Amino acid sequence: MTSIPDNEAVSQSTHSARQSRRVALIVAVAFFMQLLDSTIISTSLPQMGQSFGVPAVAMSIGITAYMLTMAVFVPLSAWLADRFGARTIFLVAIALFTLASIACGFSQSLTAFVAARIVQGLGSALMTPVGRILVLRNAEKSELLNATALITWPALFAPVIGPVLGGFITTYLSWHWNFFINAPLGLTGLALVARFVPGDRDSEAKPFDWPGFFLTSLGLAVMLYGLERLAHPGDSLLPTIGSIGIGIVIGWSAVRHLLQARHPLLDLSAFKVLTFAISTLAAGTVFRVAINATPFLLPLLFQVGFGLRPVDAGLLVLAYFLGNLGMKTVTTPTLRRFGFRAVMVVNGAIASLAIMACGAISPQTPLALTVALMLVAGLSRSMQFTALNTLAFADIGARQRSSAATLSSMLQQIAMLFGVAIAAAILNLSQIIRGEAEPDLLDFRITFAVIGLVGLAAAMRFLVLPANAGAEVSGHSTNS
């Protein structure tokens, strides 16, 4: 008598798991297109500047316009997803990004290119948080870990193939194809979302919070602009520090408004959930600063510190990102066996020590040892990245998901730019103190040591988590 309902429950569970994986994989395809575009453009800036008749350094406005547009519109994504449905907004985001990519490829002037990049930034701003919302709404807690691992791989894979692919396309085709390549990816994403992702809409959509949108967007944009300037030693320091300070003040005003508003643009109650707060706002943001600084520092270390050719440096960095990918198969069973707290403390310490070790190698270090270190650094970074992204939503309620996904995206943007800015600032400061024109191995060693210590301090902070934190997601049991 009970076998039929049991079979139906098993069948329903299997269908739910399959649906969750399908949605996560489709979202991952869109994320891959977005992140590939962010990394592929850097190799073609000189050729683009030549094509537009402007200096290569002037092309940085295309990157800045894209980044600031993202900052302005990311806070809007949660309200749009609740008002019109996450699936609809995700489709719009992919369509905007794809069309803007084609427009970038056809651009004949810097002005037209920047305009297209602004539209592309709008699509990107909506794509990341709304994609996460789709995954959260289609995954049971027991399926969240596998789903998060799927949508994390583009962030680990795109940075390694982007520069290589961009260099190849720019050399053997033209820079235009770095943008045209998004057309088939975008069309594929649109078709998959329309065919396989179920529709959804929040029936209790709130009125739009204009003051919240203005304060949140302006504060985030001004702060990120200041952090981006901090990574360039040639920029004047006063406007940089001023931008960061003004951004913090506006951000504080935004938080006050969101806490007091009747219908806030973003629900900050997610920060009352310990697992979300520590993995996004507190230790999680600090640790992301460390792991985002490392991919920025490694190519510089190998080319400036070691004197390697770009292609040789690229092969060593490839080992680092292969380590990122290699950990995916063991992340789930490891978290199930040891739980989030133990993994994030121990693995976080390993990842931080690996960052410090990167500063200890030299051109005389055996190649096998350098490659092994790159693999360990990549493996530990990957596990920590997936654990952070999964734990963040382990205890988030259905009503908090949209805002939580948006808040997570905003904080990850800050951590990414802050990681690069801090690494660049330490490297430049060490060089200035020593009175050298170019950084050398000592400057890199100091920078890696400081960044590693930052990561280690953040890893120890995860000890405040209970032993069973996120157990419903990881499947970890604390019973002996």
Side-chain angles (χ1 to χ4, degrees):
M1 298 271 308
T2 60
S3 61
I4 294 177
D6 286 347
N7 289 338
E8 290 178 352
V10 170
S11 176
Q12 186 175 2
S13 176
T14 303
H15 175 75
S16 174
R18 189 181 298 116
Q19 175 70 13
S20 169
R21 286 193 297 270
R22 181 186 296 136
V23 171
L25 188 58
I26 292 170
V27 170
V29 169
F31 283 4
F32 178 74
M33 174 184 67
Q34 173 195 11
L35 292 166
L36 181 66
D37 182 86
S38 298
T39 57
I40 204 172
I41 186 178
S42 59
T43 56
S44 56
L45 292 181
Q47 290 79 3
M48 294 172 67
Q50 186 177 8
S51 177
F52 295 152
V54 299
V57 68
M59 294 304 304
S60 64
I61 190 174
I63 296 174
T64 303
Y66 176 86
M67 178 198 71
L68 293 181
T69 304
M70 278 191 65
V72 168
F73 289 103
V74 160
L76 187 60
S77 56
W79 184 86
L80 287 174
D82 289 343
R83 176 66 179 83
F84 300 103
R87 175 180 178 269
T88 299
I89 299 303
F90 198 60
L91 283 167
V92 170
I94 296 175
L96 282 173
F97 191 91
T98 305
L99 291 172
S101 296
I102 296 171
C104 285
F106 280 118
S107 297
Q108 299 296 314
S109 68
L110 180 58
T111 302
F113 176 71
V114 171
R117 286 289 282 175
I118 289 173
V119 178
Q120 201 179 31
L122 171 59
S124 183
L126 301 179
M127 197 182 303
T128 301
V130 175
R132 285 200 180 102
I133 292 170
L134 277 175
V135 171
L136 290 172
R137 290 181 178 176
N138 284 276
E140 300 293 335
K141 284 195 174 183
S142 59
E143 302 154 4
L144 187 58
L145 181 55
N146 287 328
T148 303
L150 279 174
I151 64 171
T152 300
W153 73 261
L156 304 173
F157 190 52
V160 66
I161 72 166
V164 177
L165 182 60
F168 178 85
I169 290 174
T170 303
T171 301
Y172 295 104
L173 296 173
S174 74
W175 65 263
H176 306 80
W177 288 95
N178 285 331
F179 296 98
F180 292 152
I181 196 175
N182 288 335
L185 291 172
L187 290 174
T188 300
L190 286 170
L192 291 174
V193 173
R195 174 66 179 85
F196 295 109
V197 176
D200 66 317
R201 182 177 296 184
D202 191 329
S203 59
E204 300 179 10
K206 302 170 294 185
F208 188 69
D209 177 16
W210 284 105
F213 172 63
F214 175 77
L215 290 171
T216 305
S217 298
L218 182 62
L220 184 62
V222 173
M223 183 187 298
L224 291 182
Y225 176 68
L227 291 174
E228 201 273 336
R229 285 179 58 94
L230 194 61
H232 302 287
D235 291 342
S236 177
L237 190 60
L238 186 59
T240 299
I241 301 301
S243 295
I244 296 173
I246 293 171
I248 291 173
V249 171
I250 298 174
W252 176 76
S253 300
V255 170
R256 287 193 61 187
H257 168 81
L258 294 173
L259 289 173
Q260 297 171 0
R262 183 178 179 184
H263 299 291
L265 179 72
L266 295 169
D267 179 8
L268 300 186
S269 67
F271 288 124
K272 296 178 181 179
V273 179
L274 176 62
T275 48
F276 181 81
I278 198 167
S279 57
T280 56
L281 184 62
T285 292
V286 177
F287 199 92
R288 282 189 177 95
V289 167
I291 61 178
N292 281 313
T294 312
F296 164 76
L297 286 171
L298 285 174
L300 291 177
L301 170 67
F302 293 138
Q303 293 182 67
V304 179
F306 286 20
L308 296 179
R309 297 179 303 165
V311 63
D312 296 323
L315 289 174
L316 287 176
V317 175
L318 177 62
Y320 176 73
F321 284 103
L322 287 176
N324 277 271
L325 294 174
M327 183 56 83
K328 287 304 168 191
T329 56
V330 298
T331 296
T332 299
T334 301
L335 286 169
R336 183 172 293 119
R337 172 68 179 84
F338 298 105
F340 279 103
R341 186 180 71 175
V343 167
M344 294 171 78
V345 171
V346 175
N347 181 74
I350 294 172
S352 302
L353 292 173
I355 291 173
M356 295 185 204
C358 289
I361 58 177
S362 70
Q364 288 72 43
T365 304
L367 179 61
L369 186 58
T370 300
V371 171
L373 175 59
M374 293 299 101
L375 288 171
V376 171
L379 289 167
S380 53
R381 176 180 185 264
S382 173
M383 177 165 285
Q384 200 77 353
F385 207 81
T386 301
L388 281 171
N389 288 344
T390 308
L391 182 64
F393 300 100
D395 301 314
I396 292 296
R399 287 181 173 273
Q400 299 170 312
R401 286 173 182 170
S402 297
S403 289
T406 302
L407 291 167
S408 176
S409 295
M410 291 166 59
L411 288 166
Q412 287 189 37
Q413 272 190 279
I414 292 172
M416 180 178 65
L417 280 175
F418 200 50
V420 174
I422 288 294
I426 297 170
L427 192 64
N428 293 323
L429 182 61
S430 174
Q431 173 192 331
I432 291 170
I433 290 174
R434 295 191 312 105
E436 299 292 336
E438 294 289 337
D440 65 12
L441 274 179
L442 178 59
D443 302 313
F444 282 103
R445 284 173 178 158
I446 292 171
T447 305
F448 275 111
V450 173
I451 294 298
L453 286 172
V454 168
L456 190 60
M460 295 303 103
R461 179 63 180 161
F462 292 118
L463 286 169
V464 304
L465 290 169
N468 64 345
E472 193 176 350
V473 171
S474 66
H476 171 65
S477 175
T478 57
N479 297 329
S480 53

